[in-house]
């Protein structure tokens, strides 16, 4: 039996219960059907139905928001050490079921197992990291004035909504939900309609690990009904959203009437800039990894290569060779590097750029073709002879598709790097330290790596500028979002109070 066959057998075992009962909503520790009936989630591997999923609507969101509001006081007031212990138990329980999470994630989203097994463990790491900061999360400052002893403290904002996309959904959900729970907030989670499986596993695992009912509620459904209702619900105090920039803008409007605090992690068209003095071997590995790993369905992917014209020909030639060698296949095959794209809609969007590139005058140097017709597979694609004005250089394709653009001077590179609506990440490859400092200072991005691919360190701020988002996650920035600052002033004596009407 091959490793692929073994993984398929294990997956089949894990899916049996989903096939029998479908995926209900989870509200106040109870399974509830969706008020809108059910919808089906399909596997992008072969377009077969995985299972029925509760179609949540505004009624279900209302029930979940009230459940989160009812559970809030007890969760907020639970001793921090006890809350910490529960979150650490969740981390351990995720590790225990990491294989099941990874297999389900691959089947639901098309992501390759080699990346998803790490993403499941990263989910546990997220819980562990934020659990470790629970005890000091409410600490504040002491700001003495001549007449007052001023102190600050932080309190959880209240029940919050978490809305997540379908790319690496388990990891991303924990990245939002773990700090919310650590802050003392309760949560209503609306996972992406295309990837409901692991959101169900998460709430199940959390409750089994001791999370009280109602502290985490999961309502499945679509953006325009369940998602919209969540952003408009008066009991929900903040929305942590990850998704497209266009949706971020819609959500901001939806939340306006109830003055929602918003944290938006949105799209990107991230540049990787390779100067001719760089370590080109490492740069090549990083360029390939940052666009073709995770199916290129990655907000931080470096989808625009800006390569210095002096090395362009040789660099692109090596790139073509490597890209043509990337293994596209079944996501549960440990050798697979790229699996199928998540949905028919997304597959149609990504493949439409194969023609757009040609129409705009670029060259398809590698890939640019669909693979088979059973699932949503495409060959990893490289466009060359492109300019930064083309649609393939400006629009977020969100697939394994790289656009290579030459530059001659540092000034040209900087101008092109910044000439985009987005500003999530940037990657700079040079061995000239002064240039690296100068360049990163002017590069418009929330996160920049020099001579490195994206390596996450959880205490660092994660987020984008321009159309890539508002707000930061990571370290104490996450607590800042899910908590309110409170100031209390104590008079230290009989200071003069101005008397009116005396
Ligand atoms: P999407 O915006 O279509 O959907 C994201 C979520 O929003 C889904 O759960 C969807 O149901 C919900 N939604 C849609 N319309 C809504 C509405 N009107 N009200 C409330 N909720 C609504 O995004 P997607 O296609 O699922 O994900 C891909 C996008 O996510 C890409 O643009 C990618 O760059 C972005 N992303 C960003 C980050 C980041 O950290 N910056 C991380 C991952 C993905």
């Amino acid at each position: 039996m091959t490793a692929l066959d073994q993984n398929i057998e294990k997956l089949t075992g894990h899916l049996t219960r989903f096939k029998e009962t479908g995926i209900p909503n989870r509200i106040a520790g109870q399974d509830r059907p969706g008020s809108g009936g059910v919808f089906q989630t399909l596997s992008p591997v072969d377009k077969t139905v995985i299972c029925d999923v509760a179609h949540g609507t505004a009624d279900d969101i209302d029930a979940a928001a009230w459940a989160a509001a009812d559970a809030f006081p007890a969760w907020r007031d639970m001793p921090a050490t006890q809350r910490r212990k529960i979150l650490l138990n969740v981390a351990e329980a995720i590790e225990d079921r990491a294989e099941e999470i990874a297999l389900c994630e691959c089947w639901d989203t098309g992501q390759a197992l080699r990346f998803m097994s790490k993403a499941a463990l990263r989910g546990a790491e997220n819980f562990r990291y934020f659990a470790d900061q629970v005890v000091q999360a409410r600490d504040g400052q002491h700001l003495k004035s001549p007449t007052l002893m001023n102190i600050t403290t932080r309190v959880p904002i209240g029940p919050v909504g978490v809305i997540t996309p379908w790319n690496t959904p388990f990891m991303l959900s924990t990245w939002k939900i773990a700090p919310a729970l650590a802050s003392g907030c309760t949560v209503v989670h609306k996972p992406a309609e295309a990837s409901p499986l692991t959101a169900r596993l998460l709430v199940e695992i959390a409750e089994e690990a001791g999370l009280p009912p109602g502290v985490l509620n999961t309502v499945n459904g679509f953006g325009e009904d369940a998602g919209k209702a969540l952003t408009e619900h008066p009991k929900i105090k903040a929305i942590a959203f990850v998704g497209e920039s266009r949706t971020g803008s819609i959500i901001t409007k939806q939340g306006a009437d109830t003055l929602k605090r918003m944290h938006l992690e949105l799209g990107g068209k991230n540049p990787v800039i390779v100067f001719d003095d760089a370590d080109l071997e490492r740069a090549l590995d990083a360029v390939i990894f940052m666009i073709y790993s995770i199916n290129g369905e990655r907000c931080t992917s470096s989808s625009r290569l800006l390569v210095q014209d002096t090395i362009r020909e040789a660099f692109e030639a090596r790139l073509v060779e490597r890209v043509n060698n990337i293994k596209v296949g079944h996501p549960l095959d440990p050798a697979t590097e790229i699996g199928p794209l998540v949905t028919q809609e997304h597959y149609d969007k990504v493949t439409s750029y194969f023609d757009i590139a040609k129409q705009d005058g670029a060259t398809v140097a590698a890939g640019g073709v669909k693979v088979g017709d059973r699932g949503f597979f495409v060959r990893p694609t490289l466009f060359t002879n492109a300019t930064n004005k083309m649609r393939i250089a400006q629009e977020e394709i969100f697939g394994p598709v790289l656009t290579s653009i030459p530059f001659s001077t540092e000034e040209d590179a900087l101008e092109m790097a910044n000439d985009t609506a987005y500003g999530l990440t940037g990657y700079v490859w040079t061995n000239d330290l002064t240039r690296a400092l100068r360049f990163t200072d002017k590069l418009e991005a929330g996160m920049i790596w020099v001579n490195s691919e994206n390596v996450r360190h959880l205490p660092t701020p994660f987020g984008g500028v321009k159309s890539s988002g508002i707000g930061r996650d990571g370290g104490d920035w996450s607590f800042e979002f899910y908590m309110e600052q409170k100031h209390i002033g104590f008079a230290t004596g009989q200071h003069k109070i101005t008397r009116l009407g005396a």
Side-chain angles (χ1 to χ4, degrees):
M1 208 183 201
T2 64
L4 170 60
D5 292 337
Q6 282 172 15
N7 287 334
I8 291 177
E9 192 174 294
K10 284 186 208 160
L11 172 77
T12 309
H14 293 311
L15 291 182
T16 309
R17 35 87 62 118
F18 288 126
K19 292 206 179 290
E20 282 167 3
T21 60
I23 299 181
N25 292 330
R26 188 81 182 165
I27 299 172
Q30 306 281 323
D31 283 343
R32 306 260 188 97
S35 307
V38 293
F39 66 95
Q40 291 178 323
T41 183
L42 308 185
S43 175
V45 180
D46 57 6
K47 308 182 198 172
T48 54
V49 175
I50 303 177
C51 66
D52 287 342
V53 184
H55 180 169
T57 65
D59 289 344
D60 306 290
I61 289 290
D62 188 51
W66 277 99
D70 290 345
F72 176 61
W75 182 245
R76 174 194 61 198
D77 297 338
M78 181 183 280
T81 47
Q82 204 178 328
R83 215 150 13 95
R84 176 174 180 273
K85 180 84 187 71
I86 293 174
L87 298 180
L88 290 174
N89 288 347
V90 176
E92 238 168 71
I94 290 174
E95 279 159 1
D96 290 347
R97 288 174 70 179
E99 187 184 65
E100 176 187 358
I101 295 166
L103 292 171
C104 290
E105 190 93 305
C106 293
W107 190 244
D108 209 8
T109 65
Q111 293 289 351
L113 187 60
R114 63 163 66 207
F115 300 117
M116 285 312 99
S117 49
K118 292 192 194 88
L121 292 172
R122 171 60 203 288
E125 200 187 327
N126 289 341
F127 268 91
R128 214 176 281 287
Y129 174 76
F130 288 109
D132 281 338
Q133 294 172 65
V134 163
V135 176
Q136 63 270 32
R138 294 193 186 167
D139 288 354
Q141 293 183 27
H142 167 207
L143 303 159
K144 198 172 179 313
S145 71
T147 54
L148 293 171
M149 163 115 77
N150 296 287
I151 60 161
T152 70
T153 181
R154 281 199 303 202
V155 292
I157 191 168
V160 298
V162 172
I163 302 179
T164 46
W166 44 256
N167 69 315
T168 58
F170 185 80
M171 194 287 288
L172 274 175
S173 304
T174 59
W175 178 233
K176 296 287 177 188
I177 291 170
L181 299 178
S183 301
C185 296
T186 51
V187 174
V188 177
H189 180 204
K190 208 300 279 170
E193 49 274 32
S195 58
L197 258 60
T198 55
R200 170 65 192 191
L201 293 179
L202 178 61
V203 66
E204 218 172 79
I205 288 170
E207 286 183 5
E208 280 166 20
L211 197 72
V215 170
L216 171 60
N217 307 275
T218 308
V219 178
N220 294 284
F222 298 85
E224 55 274 18
D225 48 16
K228 180 169 185 288
L230 184 57
T231 60
E232 292 174 344
H233 202 286
K235 284 282 164 198
I236 298 295
K237 300 300 166 203
I239 294 286
F241 171 77
V242 186
E244 282 187 32
S245 301
R246 193 165 27 97
T247 318
S249 158
I250 296 170
I251 281 180
T252 305
K253 290 178 197 136
Q254 289 169 184
D257 283 347
T258 49
L259 294 175
K260 288 277 183 300
R261 180 181 291 185
M262 293 278 176
H263 183 173
L264 307 175
E265 284 185 8
L266 310 174
K269 191 73 187 179
N270 310 299
V272 50
I273 303 103
V274 181
F275 288 96
D276 59 8
D277 66 355
D279 179 336
L280 297 177
E281 288 299 317
R282 286 178 63 76
L284 184 71
D285 286 344
V287 165
I288 294 168
F289 178 76
M290 278 314 302
I291 183 65
Y292 300 112
S293 60
I294 315 194
N295 291 354
E297 294 167 330
R298 176 179 196 161
C299 57
T300 54
S301 74
S302 53
S303 46
R304 275 188 304 152
L305 165 64
L306 305 181
V307 57
Q308 198 150 23
D309 48 12
T310 43
I311 53 163
R312 172 217 181 153
E313 209 172 306
F315 198 83
E316 284 181 349
R318 299 200 52 202
L319 200 49
V320 169
E321 195 185 322
R322 288 275 293 275
V323 174
N324 282 333
N325 237 351
I326 289 177
K327 188 170 180 333
V328 176
H330 195 295
L332 298 185
D333 183 343
T336 291
E337 293 173 314
I338 294 187
L341 300 174
V342 66
T343 57
Q344 177 81 53
E345 187 190 0
H346 189 57
Y347 174 72
D348 291 344
K349 173 186 159 182
V350 171
T351 53
S352 73
Y353 283 94
F354 300 163
D355 286 336
I356 292 170
K358 287 180 233 160
Q359 281 155 16
D360 286 356
T363 304
V364 181
V369 288
K370 300 174 178 177
V371 180
D373 56 7
R374 278 193 71 204
F376 307 128
F377 295 88
V378 294
R379 276 302 308 166
T381 297
L382 172 68
F383 299 135
T384 55
N385 292 318
T387 70
N388 202 51
K389 296 285 176 216
M390 290 180 181
R391 286 182 63 192
I392 51 170
Q394 291 293 325
E395 297 174 12
E396 187 187 43
I397 300 174
F398 214 57
V401 180
L402 177 63
T403 301
S404 176
I405 305 161
F407 70 86
S408 56
T409 65
E410 184 184 322
E411 291 70 29
D412 287 347
L414 184 66
E415 197 186 317
M416 284 196 278
N418 287 342
D419 180 18
T420 162
Y422 298 105
L424 191 59
T425 62
Y427 306 86
V428 184
W429 285 85
T430 177
N431 274 324
D432 180 336
L433 176 63
T434 314
R435 169 154 64 196
L437 282 168
R438 199 167 52 223
F439 201 90
T440 52
D441 191 45
K442 294 268 175 9
L443 189 56
E444 294 167 358
M447 297 169 280
I448 303 172
W449 282 267
V450 177
N451 296 335
S452 174
E453 81 284 30
N454 169 348
V455 182
R456 275 294 293 144
H457 179 50
L458 302 189
T460 59
F462 185 102
V465 301
K466 304 199 291 193
S467 296
S468 289
I470 299 175
R472 294 292 179 275
D473 271 318
D476 201 53
W477 286 279
S478 294
F479 289 97
E480 274 293 296
F481 178 70
Y482 295 110
M483 300 181 91
E484 293 278 24
Q485 286 286 347
K486 198 161 157 181
H487 158 247
I488 309 148
F490 296 89
T492 49
Q494 303 278 312
H495 68 267
K496 184 169 182 292
I497 300 175
T498 304
R499 300 181 73 211
L500 302 180

